[in-house]
Amino acid sequence: MNACRHVFSPLQVGRFIVKNRIEAAPAGMMLASSDCAVTRDVIEWYKGLARSGCGIVTVGDSPVISEMATGVGHLLNLGTDKAINGLDKLAEAIKRYGALASIELTYHNYFVSESATDMTVEKIRYIIDSHVQAARRCVTAGLDMIMIHIAHGHFLSQFFSPQLNKRTDAYGGSFENRIRVITELLDGIRDRFGDRLGIELRISGDELTPGGLNVDDQLRLAKSLEGRVDLVHISAGKLYDEKTIPRMFQPTYLPRGINVYLAEMFRKELKVPVVAVGSLTVEMAEEIIAMGKADMVALARALIADPDHPAKARNGRDETIRPCVRCNTCIDRVHRSLLSVHCAVNPMAGREVEFKDRPLPRQKKKVVVVGGGPAGMEAARRAADRGHEVVLFEKNDRLGGALIMASAAPFKADMKAYLEWAIRMTMTAPNLTVRLSTEATREIIGAENPDAVVVAVGAVPVMPADLPGVGGRNVVWAGDVDCGTAVVGERVVVAGAGLTGSETALHLAQSGKKVTLIDMLPLEEIDADTPFVNVISLRSLVDELGIDVRTGVKLDAVTDRGAVIMDKDSGKIEIPCDTVVLSLGVKPRSDLVRLFEDLAPEVYQAGDCSKERGNLYSAVLQGFFAGMEI
């Protein structure tokens, strides 16, 4: 407790006393019904955050106009009185644990044909009134606070931007005119409800784009509004300028807390409490608050990865906190695909209703898990937690499987933290015996007399035997490069521009190597299954480091002098290099799967050995399903 005495101290926010300095940040979860009403999934998700000990729980992305909500679906619709009944149940679920219940009111301009410049005054007044009416519904439902979203280049912030607002009437021109929409909106809510309803404000401390709103602009705005609001969140970036999106949802390639400096600048200038956001943890929050850089912190992905994060930190159980790997699977599902939130490391996220209260099995079973990678570890822990007697066999002298390679690069510290957590939790789990340096055979498994077997033996790298020169000493596998067990020269060609190959190329370039990255497919096709935020960041770093990326070509041969590549017209050129690194994907170990498929009444496959294209999300999920099914 003493280690977190600052973050778990109370804070005055408007007329409210917040019990601690942790807020569940507003994040669109896409858990509402198709007609945009509160569901059991919504209630269970936010109730879990409140139960864990967050001081404020802010429900994310709730449009104030019905057409905006129903146009997407699965967002909470604040544009109708029909929302009040469900909001009442949601507010009660949050507040029963002593948290303040807040909700983010949004008006997104990707639904709006008019710009800030050409919108009619009647439409402006309609937008203002829509926010006031949404606030009324929140008050009626018993919510404590609302958040007004004017960050990330969304529509309300565009009125403030001299670059985007060219109006010549009362809503354009001078500073006072350009912020008039915001001030009239806030005044409309305050005039109606006074201090009954706390108001949060989310802004970008810096839009980080040429001609965009900078720190000085936003400081001036915040100072002019602080008498109207109770709490100010300081984010960064502009959703409509792709290059800045990674500053909103920082991937593993960027440092954690990269935007905290902005919160610190605003806190020095404002009297109202300031909230820092962006890839933070409770441990980081303690330091941020102790050093006076912010008054509160808002967590989003850290809570998706482990909703019990605050409670574990408060009770000194830091070693059990499941780390977020910042893969942005959650962001990609919600923002790009409009799917409900799920998490690569926490398979319960978004599935609470189905699995939270699942009955324990009536019969204790003997379970054998073959393979100690992410899928095998997840399956073993889940089965053991359900009361089964579990034995996990791993042929190597440590657990981890493909995660060992995936976490080796310096910029994969998040993945390394998850690997260490998974190993630690597996090795210490009750009902679970781990046998390292033991390759499972039919005889060994049969001797256990199992009721269920989970086969999680992974995959092997594709090494094309018919490629001329593939057996040369200058040809190595990307996994060996990442783990530091392969010798690599100064000039390198990496064959395969998928996530693994591109990260290997990045690692080599950061080490000072001259790197060429090749692939037959265009980058758009290669990147289609990778979360878009991570793609933006990774490709930007590849460009910044001068990596030569060539698509539409394939590796045709390797010589003593370099790599011979062939284009789609069968034209060939040789790229001089010292080392060729192969990252051509993996193939499931189907032979081992077949070897074990009849050794128990129940046999499951999980991870890269299954038919699905492997990644951490699918591996953990398949392991979870196997463990929960037994």
Side-chain angles (χ1 to χ4, degrees), residues 325-343:
V325 298
R326 295 196 292 163
C327 64
N328 281 320
T329 296
C330 54
I331 302 298
D332 199 67
R333 285 180 59 86
V334 169
H335 285 258
R336 181 166 69 172
S337 302
L338 303 181
L339 298 171
S340 59
V341 66
H342 289 319
C343 175

Side-chain angles (χ1 to χ4, degrees), residues 31-33 36-39 42 46 59-64 69 74-79 83 87 90 103:
L31 294 173
S33 64
C36 303
V38 171
T39 61
V42 171
Y46 288 106
V59 180
D61 200 354
S62 303
V64 300
H74 306 287
L75 299 173
L76 294 185
N77 177 14
L78 299 184
L87 288 176
L90 178 57
I103 191 166

Side-chain angles (χ1 to χ4, degrees), residues 68 106-116 119 127 149 151-159 164 238-240:
M68 289 188 172
T106 55
Y107 182 89
H108 294 310
N109 40 308
Y110 43 74
F111 285 102
V112 180
S113 58
E114 309 101 323
S115 69
M119 179 173 281
I127 293 170
H149 193 336
H152 307 151
H154 282 312
F155 195 70
L156 292 176
S157 71
Q158 292 182 11
F159 274 87
L164 300 175
K238 188 175 182 179
L239 193 59
Y240 307 95

